[in-house]
Amino acid sequence: MKIPHTDLSAEALNGIIEEYVSREGTEYGSREFNLQEKVKQVHRQLEKGEAYINYDADTQTCHLVACNM
C-alpha cells in the first residue's frame, strides 16, 4: 500500500528515512555523506515524487521505493 509521505508526522517520516539510509549496503556513490545529508536527499526525492513509501501489511513494515521515471 502506497503511503503519502505528507500523511506521516515529521517524527515518523524521519524515523523511516533514517532507518532506510542507515542500512548496510545503501549506496550513495563515491562521496561520503553524513546521516543528515542522506536524510535530506531522501526527503527531496519524496517531495519531487521520485520515491514513495510502501507499507506491507503482511510484514507490517515500510519500505522506500524509487519511482521508475
Side-chain angles (χ1 to χ4, degrees):
M1 171 185 343
K2 191 173 180 179
I3 305 293
H5 71 281
T6 54
D7 287 357
L8 300 174
S9 69
E11 184 177 282
L13 181 58
N14 280 332
I16 291 169
I17 294 172
E18 286 179 8
E19 188 278 327
Y20 172 76
V21 299
S22 62
R23 291 180 189 167
E24 284 289 321
T26 304
E27 183 62 44
Y28 287 87
S30 59
R31 180 176 171 243
E32 289 292 321
F33 293 91
N34 66 36
L35 179 65
Q36 186 177 33
E37 290 171 317
K38 291 176 185 179
V39 169
K40 284 182 183 180
Q41 287 178 350
V42 174
H43 266 285
R44 281 192 294 266
Q45 290 173 333
L46 290 167
E47 290 170 2
K48 291 172 146 183
E50 296 172 352
Y52 64 92
I53 298 169
N54 187 64
Y55 176 73
D56 184 332
D58 292 334
T59 61
Q60 297 183 353
T61 57
C62 289
H63 304 279
L64 288 166
V65 181
C67 296
N68 294 327
M69 302 269 178

